[in-house]
Amino acid sequence: MFAYASPDVTLLFDFNVVIANLNKVSSNEAIKLIAHLRESIKISTKADEDYAI
């Protein structure tokens, strides 16, 4: 049980907030934010796949 409770807890981030507010930042910054979100989703997906093994 300790193994499950000891790792850092990642907070779920509602990326809809970022998407809905992209018009409030420059286009270059928006592109960077979208790229970061995309990578985060890829990492989360990979972590979920590894967890299920």
Side-chain angles (χ1 to χ4, degrees):
M1 213 46 180
F2 185 81
Y4 295 109
S6 61
D8 292 340
V9 176
T10 56
L11 299 176
L12 297 176
F13 183 77
D14 186 359
F15 63 87
N16 289 325
V17 173
V18 174
I19 301 299
N21 290 292
L22 286 175
N23 62 336
K24 296 179 180 177
V25 298
S26 69
S27 60
N28 287 338
E29 190 172 354
I31 291 169
K32 289 177 185 175
L33 290 169
I34 292 170
H36 183 66
L37 286 172
R38 188 176 191 175
E39 288 304 312
S40 295
I41 291 168
K42 287 180 185 178
I43 290 167
S44 294
T45 303
K46 177 69 173 141
D48 288 346
E49 289 172 357
D50 290 345
Y51 180 75
I53 293 177

